[in-house]
Amino acid sequence: MHSLYCSHPVLVCFDNEGDDVAYNEAQQKRFNAALAEEKRKHRTQLTNTERQLAEISESKNLTEQELAEARQHLRVREENDRRESAKFKKEAAEQKKRADEIEARHNDAKITYALHDAAVAEDAYSPSILAQYLRGRTAMDDVGNIVVDLPGTDAEGKETVERLPPLDAVKKMKAQPDRFGGLFKDFVASKAALPTNKSGKVSVTSISTDEFMHLWKTNRSKLDL
């Protein structure tokens, strides 16, 4: 019998060690049917064993030694059946655990990629930092969609949490420079600009020697000399 198992919402199974294979609904049904059949067989075997023990006890044609040997034989069979059933259940539980671990790793990678892609699309200063910032606020909902619980404030100043897809969440963050500006290139660039005077030039008294030398080499006309 093939070892089949399932885990929602992403279904996987193992055919060979280390091989991740898509696990579809039909395979899930076959596994459930196999498990139910195994339980049914075990119950039937126990019932038959009890009946046979009762018949042996009522038999008038066997010696005491033969009766004892027959009872011992049936008890051994019963114990073997129980061990096989326990082994099957243990294997199924181990496979389910492995499937859950694969699912968790798959979901984590999927979430990380989605956050990183959204950060790149909205010109994050560091996509990896923005993705890391949102990771603890991101999960998969019951139907497998990635959602971000984005913190914010309402019109009355009360804290709120809005559930959004990654790209929408990052766009909303970018639209709030007072709160999230440091995570985006445009805001960082604007803050990094050198101070200028009324004429639009950089006063040499307001910048460092390194900044002066850089402008002297790259854009000398920008200096207010």
Side-chain angles (χ1 to χ4, degrees):
M1 181 178 66
H2 292 292
S3 296
L4 303 178
Y5 52 92
C6 67
S7 178
H8 297 288
V10 177
L11 303 178
V12 296
C13 71
F14 285 82
D15 284 342
N16 296 302
E17 184 65 28
D19 294 337
D20 299 349
V21 186
Y23 190 84
N24 58 40
E25 186 176 352
Q27 289 173 315
Q28 177 187 350
K29 289 180 179 179
R30 288 198 296 270
F31 170 70
N32 292 339
L35 182 59
E37 177 63 15
E38 183 70 17
K39 291 180 178 179
R40 185 194 65 77
K41 289 181 179 179
H42 182 59
R43 286 195 297 269
T44 300
Q45 288 169 341
L46 289 178
T47 299
N48 290 339
T49 299
E50 292 173 354
R51 178 179 54 79
Q52 290 170 347
L53 283 172
E55 291 175 352
I56 289 173
S57 298
E58 296 174 357
S59 175
K60 305 298 183 181
N61 300 320
L62 297 177
T63 65
E64 287 298 325
Q65 182 178 352
E66 290 172 331
L67 283 171
E69 291 176 352
R71 292 191 185 101
Q72 179 62 24
H73 175 70
L74 290 174
R75 278 194 291 267
V76 170
R77 282 181 51 189
E78 181 181 15
E79 182 61 26
N80 289 339
D81 291 341
R82 287 176 177 171
R83 288 178 180 175
E84 285 297 317
S85 180
K87 180 181 177 181
F88 177 84
K89 291 177 181 178
K90 181 180 179 181
E91 290 176 351
E94 290 174 349
Q95 291 167 348
K96 178 62 166 59
K97 181 181 178 181
R98 291 170 64 194
D100 288 344
E101 291 172 351
I102 290 293
E103 176 191 341
R105 291 198 297 269
H106 171 76
N107 289 348
D108 185 68
K110 188 175 180 180
I111 288 171
T112 298
Y113 284 128
L115 292 175
H116 187 273
D117 289 347
V120 170
E122 293 301 315
D123 289 326
Y125 182 75
S126 172
S128 61
I129 291 177
L130 192 150
Q132 184 177 5
Y133 172 79
L134 289 178
R135 183 60 188 90
R137 297 173 170 84
T138 308
M140 298 189 76
D141 62 17
D142 294 338
V143 294
N145 295 321
I146 299 174
V147 291
V148 179
D149 289 335
L150 185 66
T153 54
D154 60 17
E156 299 178 354
K158 295 181 180 179
E159 292 190 0
T160 61
V161 175
E162 187 174 5
R163 179 158 287 190
L164 299 167
L167 185 58
D168 291 346
V170 176
K171 285 181 177 180
K172 191 156 190 175
M173 290 171 67
K174 191 174 184 180
Q176 302 177 62
D178 56 328
R179 186 164 188 170
F180 302 110
L183 293 170
F184 297 92
K185 291 179 180 178
D186 293 345
F187 182 86
V188 173
S190 67
K191 291 300 180 182
L194 297 175
T196 58
N197 55 27
K198 292 181 180 180
S199 64
K201 294 191 175 185
V202 177
S203 173
V204 295
T205 61
S206 64
I207 59 176
S208 67
T209 302
D210 289 341
E211 290 170 337
F212 174 83
M213 293 304 298
H214 177 72
L215 275 179
W216 181 264
K217 293 178 180 179
T218 60
N219 192 5
R220 189 178 303 180
S221 62
K222 189 71 173 177
L223 292 169
D224 186 14
L225 301 173

